Amino acid sequence: MTIATQEAPSDRVIRWGIVGTGRIARRFAQALAHVPQARLGALWSRRAEPAQAFADEFGGEVCESFDSLLASGIDALYIATVQDSHADYAIAALQGGLHVLCEKPATINRPQLERVLDAARAAQRLFMEAMKPPFYPLYTKLREHLAADPIGDVGLVRAGCSVPGVPDDHPSLSFEHAGGALLDIGIYEMFLAVDWLGAPHEVQTLGRLGSTGVDTFASLNSRHERGIAQLFCGLDLHGKGDALLMAKGGHVTIHEPWWNPSRATIRYADGRVVELDEPFTGGGLNYETAHFCELIRAGQLESPVMPHAKSLQMIAMADAARAALGLRFAGE
Ligand SMILES: NC(=O)c1ccc[n+]([C@@H]2O[C@H](COP(=O)([O-])OP(=O)(O)OC[C@H]3O[C@@H](n4cnc5c(N)ncnc54)[C@H](OP(=O)(O)O)[C@@H]3O)[C@@H](O)[C@H]2O)c1
């Protein structure tokens, strides 16, 4: 009797590599344990010691160089370095035949992102910005609920997050690494705006730069295909962190922290109130990672949930906001 040992495509184990072994890489590795049929294969970071400590804790082979990571037999690369390096790593990995899940912001400006997407198309590989909120159970449930019991077209999105007390040497405040509130935090709010309102047509920005030269607070009003957004992001004030979606037939509050959502309240114009309570497990990065693995198995080159067009629209908003604040990074 012959026993078939070949994996069905739907069961294929996805072998992951990680570049950068800092804070978010740890959360990714913890989340990976909650993703079916996925495992950490290899990793590389500039400094050998933290990379080895990471491998001791989470497994995976420590590679001697980025090139050896690309050649280590992995299927997909998770880019967890600071954002000024995302584009170069993404392009090299795509050209090396890997699928790429890249931390937010995917790149620091739109021209860089266009180069990455060109590389993905040329290599016929999957590329997705790791924008976690739409993959959380609460967000999925909210979309389903509003499809079944609508409030009408959302015409206003109001969202913000401001986190003070970041140490001066944190990458969020680094000019060299293209930090700042807009790219670190605001990119989530820009996602929410384009996800519910469509492409941006106009962005008005007020804000301030801090002592390291990056923006420490920004307030945006943006006009989109289907409505208006009021957004803020900051590194110097303590912000509330919930989100509001308004339509003719009611409004939704996604409770704080809306970017790691677990609760929402829908208030209908007829007086009904619906509470959604959808806790998440695994730390939250597992949902986007599971989705990415499914796309690889299905041979897809783009996510329908987080398509390239949304990443382009988000970074175009960030570019416009930075231009208004007079903030240019090296090479811009
Ligand atoms: N999705 C989320 O929830 C979330 C949350 C936080 C951050 N992020 C994003 O994740 C990224 C990393 O943030 P983090 O908080 O993890 O930062 P972090 O803790 O400072 O870690 C950054 C890592 O990148 C490495 N690195 C820095 N510059 C590099 C370069 N030029 N080449 C190779 N490696 C380099 C560092 O290595 P060394 O040790 O050698 O310096 C370190 O391992 C950022 O883009 C950030 O926006 C996402």
Side-chain angles (χ1 to χ4, degrees), residues 94 100 106 110 113-114 116-122 124-129 194 292 295 300-316:
L94 291 162
V100 172
R110 184 170 170 134
L113 183 56
E114 283 169 350
V116 170
L117 298 180
D118 284 348
R121 270 187 294 274
Q124 291 289 288
R125 288 296 179 271
L126 171 64
F127 175 86
M128 188 179 96
E129 181 171 7
V194 303
F292 193 92
L295 293 176
Q300 300 293 307
L301 301 181
E302 192 172 348
S303 163
V305 179
M306 192 54 216
H308 298 166
K310 276 187 190 149
S311 291
L312 285 165
Q313 290 161 8
M314 289 152 50
I315 202 65

Side-chain angles (χ1 to χ4, degrees), residues 13-14 16 35-36 58-59 77 91 103 111 119 170 175 180-181 188 191 193-195 204 233-234 254 306 311 323:
V13 172
I14 305 298
W16 282 88
V35 178
F58 298 110
L77 180 69
I91 291 170
E103 257 315 328
H170 191 279
F175 182 83
Y188 287 116
F191 161 76
V194 303
D195 201 36
Q204 299 175 343
C233 52
I254 306 176
M306 192 54 216
S311 291

Side-chain angles (χ1 to χ4, degrees), residues 200-212:
H201 292 324
E202 183 185 357
V203 179
Q204 299 175 343
T205 309
L206 293 175
R208 54 180 169 260
L209 307 184
S211 59
T212 62

